[in-house]
Amino acid sequence: MTDEEIDDVDKAILYALQEDARNMSSGDIAERTGTSDSTVRKRIQRLESDGVIKGYSASVDYQKSGYPLRMLLYCTAAIPERGDLVPDILDIDGVVSVQELVTGEQNLLVTAVGETDSDITPVAQELLDMGLTVADEVLVRSHETTPFGKFNSKTQTGDDS
């Protein structure tokens, strides 16, 4: 929960940062939002301190970087323990993300990358050793993302009534 509500300027800032945080200056964002450079900087600082912006990271194409296998492992953990297990799962070599799922029997989605099957197999074994059930494994061909459209003021109708 944030200390202040997210308004249209905040959403535009979030959209711009999702598009290209590395090359998007506060001046560029200010121009888009019709605000000042200092306003954008203060808003970004508030969004960071409120935990809305959790950090900045590179979007890596694992296939091009030498890790062509991306495996999704759908796991089942005891409900009271699943959130507590996330840091330990992230420590497993090859794991790049963990998502906590709240519906269905499988309640954790683990993403692992590797060069070969022999890189991925130990990940599944470590999950089993932690007491998780690996219900399904899915090999992913590609993974693309886009900024969240509801943050883009250009896609909004402008009629809030």
Side-chain angles (χ1 to χ4, degrees):
M1 193 73 164
T2 61
D3 295 336
E4 294 182 40
E5 291 297 314
I6 303 296
D7 65 12
D8 289 341
V9 173
D10 292 330
K11 289 177 184 178
I13 291 169
L14 293 170
Y15 189 83
L17 292 174
Q18 283 184 316
E19 277 185 314
D20 188 2
R22 182 173 186 195
N23 296 308
M24 189 70 61
S25 72
S26 55
D28 295 334
I29 298 171
E31 190 175 309
R32 281 186 179 194
T33 59
T35 60
S36 70
D37 191 327
S38 63
T39 296
V40 169
R41 285 194 310 275
K42 287 177 187 173
R43 296 263 189 140
I44 290 173
Q45 185 176 32
R46 179 179 52 79
L47 291 166
E48 290 171 344
S49 66
D50 287 350
V52 175
I53 297 174
K54 294 170 55 173
Y56 302 88
S57 61
S59 178
V60 175
D61 184 324
Y62 292 107
Q63 188 167 15
K64 288 182 180 177
S65 64
Y67 300 93
L69 295 180
R70 179 187 297 252
M71 182 70 71
L72 304 180
L73 300 115
Y74 290 89
C75 302
T76 302
I79 291 172
E81 299 171 7
R82 71 177 170 208
D84 295 337
L85 292 171
V86 171
D88 293 331
I89 296 169
L90 287 169
D91 283 340
I92 297 172
D93 191 34
V95 171
V96 295
S97 77
V98 178
Q99 297 175 55
E100 191 174 346
L101 311 174
V102 294
T103 59
E105 187 176 331
Q106 291 82 42
N107 53 22
L108 290 171
L109 174 57
V110 178
T111 304
V113 298
E115 286 183 82
T116 66
D117 287 341
S118 62
D119 294 328
I120 303 292
T121 302
V123 173
Q125 186 58 55
E126 286 194 54
L127 293 170
L128 293 170
D129 292 346
M130 293 175 71
L132 299 170
T133 300
V134 178
D136 199 6
E137 298 176 6
V138 177
L139 188 59
V140 178
R141 179 183 302 250
S142 67
H143 175 93
E144 303 298 329
T145 63
T146 189
F148 183 53
K150 298 255 186 202
F151 290 159
N152 186 359
S153 61
K154 293 177 186 175
T155 63
Q156 305 297 315
T157 62
D159 183 12
D160 293 335
S161 52

